Amino acid sequence: MALRTILTAPDPRLKKKSKPVDTVDAETRQLMDDMLDTMYAAPGIGLAAPQVGELKRVIVLDIDREDTKTGPLFMANPEIVEASDDDATYEEGCLSLPDHYSDVARPARVKVRYLDRDGVQKDLACEGLLATCVQHEIDHLDGILFVDHISALKRNMILRKLLKTRKEKERDEAEGKPAARDKDKESAPAL
Ligand SMILES: [Zn+2]
């Protein structure tokens, strides 16, 4: 088990387009396993490779709620091949935009095609939170963050706050103060 560092916005690597993987080899599987461990530790329900600084089209998900239980899902080169006309709105969060949430509307149902951890091509019909999560993670592979779906005003406010939080954290670390992040706060799941 190896935990990777999760990049937070604004970071130029989160705005880059990731490259497809040629094959799901041992290196890809290692990345998938590390990403899953990192996601569980965060904790989150989805993570994309660029969030740990790897510009590869790899995502991991695990949705565990009363209405949806997926178990761990590993996807290389995921692609939306079908999307419903009607939208659903969820309050989204993101491990790369800690402690910020916003309503985002996306197609309510999608079909995703991907290579699994064994390199086998699969199609998966997704709805509810799973549909939102899959689309959110695939967005990461194209350098798109959930804040890119909301108004510029709100986006800039969130990015400014993140920058301020980062500067405060760096200052506290320089002064040897312990981290003051509120882990007990009730919040929507981070993707
Ligand atoms: Zn995210």
Side-chain angles (χ1 to χ4, degrees), residues 103-136:
D103 280 347
V104 178
R106 303 177 184 272
R109 290 172 305 283
V110 295
K111 192 200 268 184
V112 60
R113 181 164 295 162
Y114 62 96
L115 301 175
D116 71 7
R117 199 176 170 283
D118 298 314
V120 177
Q121 186 181 296
K122 295 257 172 78
D123 282 352
L124 182 68
C126 310
E127 60 179 347
L129 182 60
L130 179 58
T132 289
C133 193
V134 159
Q135 293 174 83
H136 174 118

Coordinates of all heavy atoms in Angstrom, one line a residue, residues 103-136:
D103 N -23.6 22.8 -6.3 CA -24.5 22.0 -7.1 C -24.0 22.0 -8.6 O -23.7 23.1 -9.1 CB -25.9 22.6 -7.1 CG -26.7 22.2 -5.8 OD1 -26.2 21.3 -5.1 OD2 -27.7 22.8 -5.5
V104 N -24.0 20.8 -9.2 CA -23.6 20.7 -10.6 C -24.6 19.8 -11.3 O -25.0 18.8 -10.8 CB -22.2 20.1 -10.8 CG1 -21.8 19.9 -12.2 CG2 -21.1 20.9 -10.0
A105 N -25.1 20.3 -12.5 CA -26.1 19.5 -13.3 C -25.3 18.7 -14.4 O -24.5 19.3 -15.1 CB -27.1 20.4 -13.9
R106 N -25.6 17.4 -14.5 CA -25.0 16.6 -15.5 C -26.0 15.6 -16.0 O -27.1 15.4 -15.3 CB -23.8 15.8 -14.9 CG -22.7 16.6 -14.3 CD -21.7 15.6 -13.7 NE -20.6 16.3 -12.9 CZ -19.5 16.7 -13.5 NH1 -19.3 16.6 -14.8 NH2 -18.6 17.3 -12.7
P107 N -25.8 14.9 -17.2 CA -26.7 13.9 -17.6 C -27.0 12.9 -16.5 O -26.1 12.5 -15.8 CB -26.0 13.2 -18.8 CG -25.2 14.3 -19.3 CD -24.7 15.2 -18.1
A108 N -28.3 12.6 -16.3 CA -28.7 11.8 -15.1 C -28.2 10.3 -15.3 O -27.9 9.7 -14.3 CB -30.2 11.8 -15.0
R109 N -28.1 9.8 -16.5 CA -27.7 8.4 -16.7 C -26.6 8.4 -17.9 O -26.8 9.1 -18.9 CB -28.9 7.5 -17.1 CG -29.8 7.3 -16.0 CD -31.1 6.6 -16.5 NE -31.8 7.3 -17.6 CZ -32.5 8.4 -17.4 NH1 -32.7 8.9 -16.2 NH2 -33.0 9.0 -18.4
V110 N -25.6 7.7 -17.7 CA -24.6 7.5 -18.7 C -24.2 6.0 -18.8 O -24.3 5.3 -17.9 CB -23.3 8.4 -18.5 CG1 -23.6 9.9 -18.5 CG2 -22.7 8.0 -17.1
K111 N -23.6 5.7 -20.0 CA -23.0 4.4 -20.1 C -21.5 4.7 -20.3 O -21.1 5.5 -21.2 CB -23.6 3.6 -21.3 CG -23.1 2.2 -21.3 CD -23.2 1.5 -22.6 CE -24.6 0.8 -22.8 NZ -24.6 0.1 -24.1
V112 N -20.7 4.0 -19.5 CA -19.2 4.2 -19.6 C -18.5 3.0 -20.1 O -18.9 1.9 -19.7 CB -18.6 4.7 -18.3 CG1 -18.9 3.7 -17.2 CG2 -17.1 5.0 -18.4
R113 N -17.6 3.1 -21.1 CA -16.8 2.0 -21.6 C -15.4 2.2 -21.1 O -14.9 3.3 -21.2 CB -16.9 2.1 -23.1 CG -16.1 0.9 -23.8 CD -16.6 0.8 -25.3 NE -18.0 0.4 -25.3 CZ -18.8 0.5 -26.4 NH1 -18.3 1.1 -27.5 NH2 -20.0 0.2 -26.4
Y114 N -14.8 1.1 -20.6 CA -13.4 1.2 -20.0 C -12.7 -0.1 -20.0 O -13.4 -1.1 -20.3 CB -13.6 1.8 -18.6 CG -14.3 0.9 -17.7 CD1 -13.7 0.0 -16.8 CD2 -15.7 0.9 -17.6 CE1 -14.4 -0.9 -16.0 CE2 -16.4 0.1 -16.8 CZ -15.8 -0.8 -16.0 OH -16.5 -1.6 -15.1
L115 N -11.5 -0.1 -19.7 CA -10.7 -1.3 -19.5 C -10.6 -1.5 -18.0 O -10.3 -0.5 -17.2 CB -9.3 -1.2 -20.1 CG -9.2 -0.9 -21.6 CD1 -7.7 -0.7 -22.0 CD2 -9.8 -2.1 -22.4
D116 N -10.9 -2.7 -17.5 CA -10.9 -2.9 -16.0 C -9.5 -3.2 -15.6 O -8.5 -3.1 -16.4 CB -11.9 -4.0 -15.6 CG -11.5 -5.4 -16.1 OD1 -10.4 -5.6 -16.6 OD2 -12.4 -6.3 -15.9
R117 N -9.3 -3.6 -14.3 CA -8.0 -3.9 -13.8 C -7.2 -5.0 -14.5 O -6.0 -5.1 -14.4 CB -8.1 -4.1 -12.3 CG -6.8 -3.9 -11.5 CD -7.0 -4.1 -10.0 NE -5.8 -4.2 -9.2 CZ -5.0 -5.2 -9.2 NH1 -5.3 -6.3 -9.9 NH2 -3.8 -5.2 -8.6
D118 N -8.0 -5.9 -15.2 CA -7.4 -7.0 -15.9 C -7.2 -6.6 -17.4 O -6.9 -7.5 -18.2 CB -8.2 -8.2 -15.8 CG -8.3 -8.7 -14.3 OD1 -7.2 -8.8 -13.7 OD2 -9.4 -9.0 -13.9
G119 N -7.6 -5.4 -17.8 CA -7.4 -5.0 -19.2 C -8.6 -5.4 -20.0 O -8.5 -5.3 -21.3
V120 N -9.7 -5.9 -19.4 CA -10.8 -6.4 -20.2 C -11.8 -5.2 -20.4 O -12.1 -4.5 -19.5 CB -11.6 -7.5 -19.4 CG1 -12.8 -7.9 -20.1 CG2 -10.6 -8.7 -19.1
Q121 N -12.3 -5.1 -21.6 CA -13.2 -4.0 -21.9 C -14.6 -4.2 -21.3 O -15.1 -5.3 -21.5 CB -13.3 -3.8 -23.4 CG -14.2 -2.5 -23.8 CD -14.3 -2.3 -25.3 OE1 -13.4 -2.0 -26.0 NE2 -15.6 -2.4 -25.8
K122 N -15.1 -3.2 -20.7 CA -16.4 -3.4 -20.0 C -17.3 -2.2 -20.4 O -16.8 -1.1 -20.6 CB -16.3 -3.4 -18.5 CG -15.5 -4.6 -17.9 CD -16.5 -5.6 -17.3 CE -15.8 -6.8 -16.9 NZ -15.1 -6.8 -15.7
D123 N -18.6 -2.4 -20.4 CA -19.6 -1.3 -20.4 C -20.3 -1.3 -19.1 O -20.7 -2.3 -18.6 CB -20.6 -1.5 -21.6 CG -20.0 -1.2 -22.9 OD1 -18.9 -0.6 -23.0 OD2 -20.7 -1.4 -23.9
L124 N -20.6 -0.1 -18.5 CA -21.3 0.0 -17.3 C -22.3 1.1 -17.4 O -22.0 2.2 -17.7 CB -20.3 0.2 -16.1 CG -20.9 0.3 -14.7 CD1 -21.5 -1.1 -14.3 CD2 -19.9 0.8 -13.7
A125 N -23.6 0.7 -17.1 CA -24.7 1.7 -17.1 C -24.7 2.3 -15.7 O -24.7 1.6 -14.7 CB -26.0 1.0 -17.4
C126 N -24.7 3.6 -15.7 CA -24.6 4.4 -14.4 C -25.7 5.3 -14.2 O -26.2 6.0 -15.2 CB -23.3 5.2 -14.3 SG -21.8 4.3 -14.7
E127 N -26.3 5.4 -13.0 CA -27.3 6.4 -12.7 C -27.0 6.9 -11.3 O -26.2 6.4 -10.5 CB -28.7 5.9 -12.9 CG -29.0 4.7 -12.0 CD -30.4 4.2 -12.1 OE1 -31.2 4.9 -12.8 OE2 -30.7 3.1 -11.6
G128 N -27.7 8.0 -10.9 CA -27.6 8.5 -9.5 C -26.2 9.0 -9.3 O -25.5 9.5 -10.2
L129 N -25.8 8.8 -8.0 CA -24.4 9.3 -7.7 C -23.3 8.7 -8.5 O -22.3 9.4 -8.8 CB -24.2 9.0 -6.2 CG -22.9 9.5 -5.6 CD1 -22.8 11.1 -5.7 CD2 -22.8 9.1 -4.1
L130 N -23.5 7.4 -8.9 CA -22.4 6.8 -9.7 C -22.3 7.5 -11.1 O -21.1 7.7 -11.5 CB -22.8 5.3 -10.0 CG -21.8 4.5 -10.8 CD1 -20.4 4.5 -10.2 CD2 -22.3 3.1 -11.0
A131 N -23.4 7.9 -11.7 CA -23.3 8.7 -13.0 C -22.6 10.0 -12.8 O -21.7 10.4 -13.6 CB -24.7 8.9 -13.5
T132 N -22.9 10.7 -11.7 CA -22.2 12.0 -11.4 C -20.7 11.7 -11.2 O -19.9 12.4 -11.7 CB -22.8 12.6 -10.1 OG1 -24.2 13.0 -10.4 CG2 -22.0 13.7 -9.6
C133 N -20.4 10.7 -10.4 CA -19.0 10.5 -10.0 C -18.2 10.1 -11.2 O -17.1 10.6 -11.4 CB -19.0 9.3 -9.0 SG -17.4 9.2 -8.2
V134 N -18.7 9.2 -12.1 CA -18.0 8.8 -13.3 C -17.7 10.0 -14.2 O -16.6 10.2 -14.7 CB -18.8 7.7 -14.1 CG1 -18.4 7.6 -15.5 CG2 -18.6 6.4 -13.4
Q135 N -18.7 10.9 -14.3 CA -18.5 12.1 -15.2 C -17.5 13.1 -14.6 O -16.7 13.7 -15.3 CB -19.9 12.7 -15.5 CG -20.8 11.9 -16.3 CD -22.2 12.5 -16.5 OE1 -22.4 13.3 -17.3 NE2 -23.1 12.1 -15.6
H136 N -17.6 13.2 -13.3 CA -16.7 14.1 -12.5 C -15.2 13.6 -12.7 O -14.4 14.4 -13.0 CB -17.1 14.1 -11.1 CG -16.2 14.9 -10.1 ND1 -16.6 16.0 -9.4 CD2 -14.9 14.7 -9.8 CE1 -15.6 16.4 -8.7 NE2 -14.6 15.7 -8.9

